[in-house]
């Protein structure tokens, strides 16, 4: 349950962090509020329909319903983000401008609101199936406490970054803005948080030390025999202590805790409890907690490596712009949605198959440690069978992050008969880790050597073109968008398209000097025969000079004169350009040298100067 919710919350965080706050909402506040209430009511009735008349009778049905409704909650939350623009309204919260994390925190709270509705409606089914009694508030609070630690690391890291931006120290801002500054700072915070996180979670979950007595003495003795050290042995009140579970958390001995729920202590014999403790100790002995940290960092590296290539490929895709044109969508909104989609798929695949693969096999390694700790797997088998039965007959329930209880029992029995399977499984895990690191490193090296700058330039040009086309559709009488379109297409070497844009701009404002000048330059310098027209360029350039006799416009006139065979007039125009714009006199004098030495030949020209 917790692992599934981790995946759901990662999706929610991705939806929030990849979508910017819109300048204006798509719907009016009244319309948005109406649709939100209607959608919330629909969610409530869908959850209630699933649980009505005791239709959910088994643990398998309960967890399947919880999974379905959590995914439905994500879909409804996505509607809140993309269609109802909830981030626009969250951006109105006090201090949201200084602390952007408040906007995302409000978004997470909204998603937890959907989960709270699900838990409230599902409470009766849970009580009936698991024979547990809960007050409504206590049931929701228990679920919230169980899931809150899943988002705390992200919230803390985001808050630290926001607070750093508020510090009056330019050096800090320069460091975080540098290409390597943010990743280094993120790594430091992440590792520091990983070390301190157990102490924080201990308080969030209201864990208390296991009271002194024979039971604690027995566990402490077993831990000493296994040369296992921890800061404390804690009672874990998961679902008010009625969940049957155990765990270990903490990378260092001083901040490591062994967690045991009261229900587990009541359920197992001392021999079975030793076997479960051996499983948890096995996680530490096999360095699984450190490896989980590595896998999370690997996910962060994976996203950072592929986010930009995916973004550039999306912006370079003709299909993307066809969709925008067909749906009349805003390009920025299109990027927010379609750019998030591949990251969402990659995240699901990574955690479901890569992270899930290692989790399942780490759990199996921890199970097999019982042979090292006690030499006997039978107590662990018995404890697993008890947990499966008391948890609602979940023995054969499949899981993406654990092997099912039945699968675990079967493998333990196989290893008891054939101990060689234990080392074989260890080799499988280590080989998979090496392969993981090799693939990750190779991908990083490949992407580092890929021509990203070329892809970036191409994608940015296409995106700017899409934005300009949208602006032209929205404001067809505004000449500036057509002029910018002409400038863009000319810079890209699309001279015919540039000419069309300039012609449309001139139709709106026939006496605009910049458009006259840029079109004249294009008609002189173009490589395309259907575009090049020196005679008309001269007419346009003369008109532009009358309106605005700046240096670069006089240079265009000079070039047009020279292209039409008026060499002396061209030299005189360049002299005027030098007088008007002495800062760029060197360029104008180079033009004069060429005019004096050569007849017109467009092949001698270089690219259009940046000051034009």
């Amino acid at each position: 349950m917790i692992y599934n919710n981790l995946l759901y919350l990662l999706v929610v965080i991705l939806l929030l962090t990849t979508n910017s706050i819109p300048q204006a909402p798509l719907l009016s506040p009244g319309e948005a509020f109406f649709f939100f209430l209607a959608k919330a009511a629909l969610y409530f009735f869908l959850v209630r329909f699933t649980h009505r008349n005791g239709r959910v009778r088994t643990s398998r049905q309960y967890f399947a319903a919880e999974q379905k409704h959590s995914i439905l909650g994500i879909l409804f939350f996505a509607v809140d983000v993309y269609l109802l623009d909830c981030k626009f309204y969250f951006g109105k919260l006090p201090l949201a401008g200084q602390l952007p994390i408040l906007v995302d925190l409000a978004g997470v709270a909204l998603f937890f609101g959907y989960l709270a509705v699900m838990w409230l409606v599902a409470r009766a089914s849970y009580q009936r199936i698991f024979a547990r009694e809960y007050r409504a508030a206590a049931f929701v609070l228990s679920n919230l406490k169980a899931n809150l630690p899943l988002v705390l690391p992200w919230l803390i890291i985001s808050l630290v970054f926001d607070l750093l931006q508020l510090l009056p120290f330019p050096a800090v801002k320069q460091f975080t803005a540098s290409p390597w500054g943010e990743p280094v700072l993120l790594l430091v915070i992440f590792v520091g948080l990983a070390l301190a996180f157990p102490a924080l979670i201990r308080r969030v979950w209201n864990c208390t030390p296991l009271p002194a007595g024979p039971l604690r003495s027995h566990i402490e003795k077993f831990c000493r025999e296994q040369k296992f050290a921890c800061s404390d042995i804690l009672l874990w009140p998961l679902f008010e202590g009625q969940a049957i579970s155990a765990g270990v958390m903490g990378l260092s001995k001083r901040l490591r805790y062994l967690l045991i729920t009261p229900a587990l202590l009541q359920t197992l014999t001392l021999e079975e409890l030793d076997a479960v403790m051996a499983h948890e100790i096995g996680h530490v002995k096999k360095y699984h907690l450190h490896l989980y940290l590595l896998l999370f960092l690997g996910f962060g590296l994976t996203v950072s490596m592929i986010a930009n290539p995916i973004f550039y490929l999306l912006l370079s895709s003709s299909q993307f712009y066809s969709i925008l044109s067909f749906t009349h969508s805003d390009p920025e909104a299109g990027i927010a949605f379609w750019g998030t989609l591949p990251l969402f798929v990659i995240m699901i695949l990574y955690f479901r198959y890569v992270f899930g693969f290692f989790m399942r096999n780490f759990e199996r390694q921890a199970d097999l440690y019982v042979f090292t700790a006690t030499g006997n797997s039978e107590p662990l088998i018995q404890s697993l069978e008890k947990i499966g039965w008391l948890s609602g007959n979940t023995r054969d329930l499949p899981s993406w992050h654990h092997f099912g209880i039945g699968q675990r029992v079967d493998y333990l029995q196989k290893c008891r008969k054939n101990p060689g399977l234990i080392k074989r499984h260890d080799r499988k895990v280590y080989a998979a880790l090496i392969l993981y690191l090799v693939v990750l490193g190779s991908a990083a090296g490949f992407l580092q050597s890929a021509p990203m700058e070329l892809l970036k330039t191409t994608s940015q040009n296409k995106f700017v073109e899409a934005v300009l086309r949208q602006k032209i559709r929205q404001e067809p009488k505004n000449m500036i968008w057509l002029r910018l379109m002409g400038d863009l297409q000319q810079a890209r070497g699309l001279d015919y398209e540039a000419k069309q844009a300039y012609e449309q701009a001139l139709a709106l404002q026939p006496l605009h000097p910049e458009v006259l000048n840029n079109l004249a330059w294009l008609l002189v310098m173009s490589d395309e025969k259907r575009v090049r027209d020196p005679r008309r360029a001269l007419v346009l350039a003369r008109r532009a000079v009358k309106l605005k006799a700046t240096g670069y416009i006089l240079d265009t006139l000079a070039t047009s004169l020279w292209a039409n065979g008026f060499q002396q007039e061209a030299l005189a125009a360049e002299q005027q350009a030098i007088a008007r714009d002495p800062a760029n006199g060197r360029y104008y004098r180079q033009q004069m040298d060429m005019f004096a030495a050569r007849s017109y030949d467009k092949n001698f020209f270089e690219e259009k100067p940046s000051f034009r």
Side-chain angles (χ1 to χ4, degrees):
M1 175 187 65
I2 291 179
Y3 294 109
N4 284 337
N5 285 348
L6 170 63
L7 197 55
Y8 303 147
L9 287 168
L10 287 173
V11 173
V12 168
I13 291 171
L14 184 66
L15 291 174
L16 286 169
T17 55
T18 55
N19 190 56
S20 59
I21 299 177
Q23 295 182 349
L26 183 64
L27 303 176
S28 69
E31 292 172 331
F33 186 66
F34 171 78
F35 282 114
F36 174 77
L37 289 181
K39 180 173 53 60
L42 176 62
Y43 181 78
F44 171 79
F45 285 113
L46 288 174
V47 177
R48 188 176 181 182
F49 178 80
T50 300
H51 289 275
R52 82 186 199 287
N53 300 327
R55 295 176 63 186
V56 177
R57 297 185 176 89
T58 66
S59 60
R60 184 185 295 253
Q61 290 175 332
Y62 179 85
F63 291 120
E66 185 176 65
Q67 181 179 18
K68 178 178 68 175
H69 296 142
S70 297
I71 294 173
L72 184 63
I74 292 175
L75 294 176
F76 279 26
F77 177 75
V79 173
D80 294 331
V81 173
Y82 288 107
L83 296 181
L84 303 186
D85 295 314
C86 64
K87 291 191 69 173
F88 173 82
Y89 300 102
F90 294 153
K92 304 298 182 182
L93 293 171
L95 299 179
Q98 293 76 28
L99 296 172
I101 184 57
L102 294 178
V103 175
D104 294 332
L105 179 59
V108 172
L110 175 59
F111 176 68
F112 270 120
Y114 286 110
L115 295 184
V117 171
M118 175 186 71
W119 293 325
L120 281 171
V121 176
R123 180 175 65 99
S125 298
Y126 187 94
Q127 292 181 136
R128 182 174 58 255
I129 294 168
F130 297 102
R132 302 284 197 273
E133 290 294 330
Y134 289 101
R135 298 186 306 276
F139 187 65
V140 172
L141 186 61
S142 294
N143 278 283
L144 286 174
K145 285 183 176 180
N147 287 281
L148 182 60
L150 304 180
V151 295
L152 272 179
W154 166 71
L155 289 174
I156 293 173
I157 290 173
S158 300
L159 180 61
V160 169
F161 270 91
D162 286 353
L163 292 175
L164 286 175
Q165 297 304 311
L166 295 178
L167 294 177
F169 305 118
V172 175
K173 296 181 179 179
Q174 291 175 2
F175 176 78
T176 55
S178 65
W180 51 270
E182 183 173 337
V184 170
L185 184 60
L186 180 62
L187 178 62
V188 171
I189 297 174
F190 190 78
V191 173
L193 190 58
L195 291 171
F197 197 60
L200 177 63
I201 296 306
R202 171 186 179 179
R203 288 166 175 75
V204 173
W205 280 344
N206 295 326
C207 297
T208 57
L210 180 66
L215 187 58
R216 183 179 179 104
S217 298
H218 178 86
I219 296 174
E220 290 175 339
K221 179 183 177 184
F222 182 79
C223 290
R224 286 194 300 270
E225 290 173 351
Q226 302 303 319
K227 298 181 180 180
F228 170 79
C230 64
S231 176
D232 206 348
I233 303 170
L234 303 177
L235 286 174
W236 184 13
L238 184 62
F239 285 106
E240 298 185 11
Q242 297 188 46
I244 305 174
S245 186
V248 63
M249 61 180 183
L251 298 178
S252 66
K253 296 177 182 179
R254 295 183 179 181
L255 294 173
R256 181 180 297 145
Y257 299 99
L258 193 59
L259 307 178
I260 310 172
T261 62
L264 185 73
L265 294 176
Q266 297 169 6
T267 301
L268 304 183
T269 65
L270 290 179
E271 190 178 22
E272 292 167 350
L273 183 60
D274 287 346
V276 172
M277 293 301 100
H279 171 94
E280 303 304 335
I281 293 171
H283 281 304
V284 176
K285 296 291 185 179
K286 298 293 183 180
Y287 299 100
H288 292 161
L289 304 182
H290 300 80
L291 292 173
Y292 282 135
L293 180 61
L294 173 66
L295 291 171
F296 272 109
L297 291 175
F299 172 70
L301 178 61
T302 300
V303 170
S304 65
M305 285 192 303
I306 65 178
N308 282 340
I310 287 177
F311 179 73
Y312 297 148
L313 288 171
L314 178 67
L315 295 187
S316 303
S317 169
S318 299
Q319 288 78 11
F320 172 67
Y321 297 105
S322 297
I323 293 173
L324 292 184
S325 178
F326 178 75
T327 58
H328 299 287
S329 301
D330 180 84
E332 292 184 0
I335 287 178
F337 178 77
W338 295 104
T340 301
L341 189 60
L343 294 178
F344 167 76
V345 172
I346 289 167
M347 185 189 72
I348 295 296
L349 293 176
Y350 183 90
F351 280 96
R352 174 62 179 84
Y353 294 103
V354 178
F355 203 88
F357 169 83
F358 284 110
M359 286 190 72
R360 290 192 301 274
N361 285 281
F362 288 169
E363 289 296 325
R364 178 159 285 177
Q365 270 190 312
D367 281 347
L368 298 179
Y369 188 76
V370 73
F371 289 100
T372 301
T374 68
N376 182 14
S377 63
E378 191 58 33
L380 182 58
I381 291 174
Q382 293 173 356
S383 65
L384 290 171
E385 296 286 11
K386 280 186 179 180
I387 292 171
W389 180 70
L390 292 173
S391 297
N393 196 22
T394 59
R395 186 183 192 278
D396 298 319
L397 189 68
S399 172
W400 66 271
H401 51 82
H402 282 62
F403 287 109
I405 289 177
Q407 292 174 304
R408 295 169 69 181
V409 168
D410 292 343
Y411 200 79
L412 284 168
Q413 291 173 339
K414 289 179 181 179
C415 290
R416 183 170 57 187
K417 296 177 182 178
N418 182 7
L421 293 175
I422 299 174
K423 290 186 177 180
R424 183 185 299 178
H425 183 72
D426 285 340
R427 289 194 296 269
K428 171 187 173 181
V429 172
Y430 299 143
L433 284 169
I434 292 172
L435 178 63
Y436 170 80
L437 293 174
V438 168
V439 171
L440 200 62
S442 300
F446 172 77
L447 290 174
Q448 189 70 26
S449 62
M452 285 299 152
E453 284 303 316
L454 177 61
L455 184 60
K456 178 180 179 180
T457 302
T458 303
S459 63
Q460 287 177 340
N461 285 336
K462 282 197 170 185
F463 179 69
V464 172
E465 180 182 358
V467 172
L468 290 175
R469 291 194 184 283
Q470 183 200 36
K471 293 295 185 182
I472 291 169
R473 286 195 301 269
Q474 293 174 344
E475 304 175 38
K477 300 299 183 181
N478 191 337
M479 178 278 304
I480 188 63
W481 305 124
L482 289 163
R483 177 207 159 180
L484 292 175
M485 177 66 78
D487 294 345
L488 173 67
Q489 302 295 41
Q490 186 176 177
R492 296 171 68 189
L494 301 174
D495 291 354
Y496 183 71
E497 290 78 1
K499 179 177 180 292
Q500 288 182 311
Y502 287 141
E503 297 283 14
Q504 294 176 51
L506 277 183
L508 294 173
Q509 290 192 28
L511 298 179
H512 194 284
E514 302 292 345
V515 179
L516 289 166
N517 173 74
N518 291 358
L519 180 54
W521 181 263
L522 178 67
L523 296 178
V524 171
M525 299 299 296
S526 178
D527 290 333
E528 297 185 37
K529 291 183 179 180
R530 60 176 176 170
V531 173
R532 194 164 58 250
D533 188 349
R535 290 185 179 181
R536 185 173 177 226
L538 181 56
V539 174
L540 297 174
R542 281 174 169 162
R543 193 179 302 166
V545 167
K546 288 182 179 180
L547 296 168
K548 186 179 180 182
T550 59
Y552 64 90
I553 293 181
L554 284 163
D555 175 55
T556 301
L557 174 61
T559 306
S560 301
L561 286 165
W562 178 64
N564 284 277
F566 303 110
Q567 187 180 53
Q568 295 304 314
E569 291 87 342
L571 293 172
E574 289 292 3
Q575 287 285 4
Q576 295 181 53
I578 294 173
R580 295 293 181 95
D581 184 16
N584 291 293
R586 182 179 178 183
Y587 167 77
Y588 298 136
R589 281 188 285 271
Q590 289 175 348
Q591 291 285 79
M592 291 179 67
D593 292 341
M594 186 168 58
F595 294 163
R598 304 178 187 277
S599 299
Y600 169 65
D601 185 347
K602 68 179 181 62
N603 294 323
F604 287 107
F605 284 94
E606 296 180 347
E607 293 181 358
K608 183 177 174 182
S610 60
F611 58 81
R612 185 175 296 279

